[in-house]
Amino acid sequence: MIIVGTALAWLFGLQSPDAIIASLSDAGFNPPQFHIDSFIQGVPHALPYLASAVPLGLANYVFDLENIESADAAGDSYPTRKIMMVNGCASMLGAFMGNPFPVTVYVGHAAYKEMGASIGYTLFNGVIMFFVCLFGLGALLLSLIPGAAIAPILVYIGIVTANQVVRETPKLEVPAIFVCLFPWIGYWALSLFKNTLATAGTNAQEVGIEALAAKGIYYQGMVGLGNGAPLASLLWGCMVVFAINNTPFAPWLLP
C-alpha cells in the first residue's frame, strides 16, 4: 500500500522534489544526549501545563491497559506490571533526553498478528526508527512518502481492532461498545470545531455561546461530552456493562 500510494502521489505531482532538498538540511548525526540541566530549568515553565499533562498521562495509562488486553484477547498474554514499568521508565528516560512525547503501548496487536508479524517485526521497526531519529531522516521520509499512503494501514488496524472488540465481547454487552464511542465522537466534533474557528482567527467565546446555540451548535455540550474522552468512554462502558448485568457496583466492591 505504501509503495503504490507513494508512486501515485509522485505520478500525479502531489510530492515536490524541493521538499526532499529542504529535508536534507535536517539530516546529520544526532546522538542522544542527557539534558538534565534543560529538564530542571524547564520544570517551572511546565507547571502551568500540568492540567493537560496529568490527564494525558492517565489517558496513556488507559491506552496501555486497553492494548495489553487486546493482545491477550488475540491469544498473547503479557505481564501487565512489567510492561507498564518499562513503558513509564522509557517515557522518563526519553524526557531526560529531550523527547517531548510520552511512550505508550502501540495499538494494533491483533492486526499485526493477522498479517503474520511477530517479535521480529516490532524489533525491526524499533531499530529502523532509532536510526531514522539518530541521523535526522524523519523529514526526508515524509518528503518521499505522503501521509495519505500511510493512512490506509492505520485504517486497516482500526478495522481489525474494531472487529476484535465486537467478536471478543460477550453478546449481551455489545451495546456498551457503541456507548463508549459517544465521548470520542464528541471529542472529534469538538476538535474539528475548535480548529475551524482557529483557522478563521476566532474562538467560541468571541463568536458567542448563545449565537452558536441559535444555529444548533451546542458548544458547551460538545465540551462536556468530548473532553476527557479516554477516561469518560471507559466509565460510560463500565456503567452500561454493570446495568446490563444488573450489577450496581464493581464485583470486587460487593460484600
Side-chain angles (χ1 to χ4, degrees):
M1 288 188 292
I2 293 179
I3 294 175
V4 173
T6 301
L8 290 174
W10 282 98
L11 180 64
F12 288 100
L14 300 179
Q15 295 295 103
S16 171
D18 296 335
I20 298 178
I21 299 174
S23 67
L24 293 176
S25 62
D26 296 326
F29 184 62
N30 301 285
Q33 300 177 353
F34 279 103
H35 298 273
I36 298 179
D37 291 341
S38 299
F39 181 87
I40 296 175
Q41 293 172 4
V43 170
H45 301 283
L47 291 178
Y49 298 96
L50 286 179
S52 300
V54 172
L56 178 61
L58 291 174
N60 278 346
Y61 176 82
V62 173
F63 293 152
D64 286 345
L65 293 178
E66 290 176 344
N67 295 326
I68 294 171
E69 176 64 22
S70 175
D72 184 74
D76 298 305
S77 181
Y78 297 96
T80 303
R81 178 175 297 179
K82 290 182 180 180
I83 290 178
M84 301 293 282
M85 288 294 294
V86 171
N87 187 70
C89 291
S91 292
M92 290 188 291
L93 180 62
F96 278 114
M97 290 186 172
N99 178 26
F101 305 107
V103 180
T104 184
V105 179
Y106 197 69
V107 67
H109 181 93
Y112 296 131
K113 186 175 181 179
E114 188 170 305
M115 291 188 294
S118 58
I119 189 173
Y121 179 84
T122 303
L123 182 62
F124 180 75
N125 272 279
V127 171
I128 290 298
M129 290 307 302
F130 174 76
F131 281 104
V132 166
C133 296
L134 188 64
F135 293 99
L137 300 177
L140 177 62
L141 288 179
L142 292 175
S143 65
L144 290 172
I145 305 173
I150 304 173
I153 296 179
L154 301 179
V155 173
Y156 171 75
I157 292 173
I159 292 173
V160 173
T161 303
N163 177 60
Q164 181 195 27
V165 171
V166 176
R167 187 178 64 247
E168 300 293 340
T169 300
K171 186 175 181 180
L172 192 65
E173 299 175 1
V174 167
I177 298 173
F178 302 98
V179 173
C180 289
L181 292 176
F182 293 164
W184 285 105
I185 294 174
Y187 173 76
W188 170 79
L190 180 63
S191 300
L192 186 65
F193 184 68
K194 282 184 174 180
N195 292 338
T196 302
L197 291 180
T199 302
T202 184
N203 55 55
Q205 282 68 33
E206 292 182 2
V207 175
I209 304 300
E210 294 182 358
L212 293 172
K215 294 296 183 179
I217 302 175
Y218 301 101
Y219 179 75
Q220 290 177 320
M222 286 195 295
V223 170
L225 181 62
N227 281 342
L231 297 179
S233 61
L234 184 65
L235 293 175
W236 281 38
C238 288
M239 288 189 292
V240 173
V241 170
F242 291 150
I244 291 174
N245 294 315
N246 197 26
T247 306
F249 302 100
W252 54 86
L253 296 179
L254 292 176

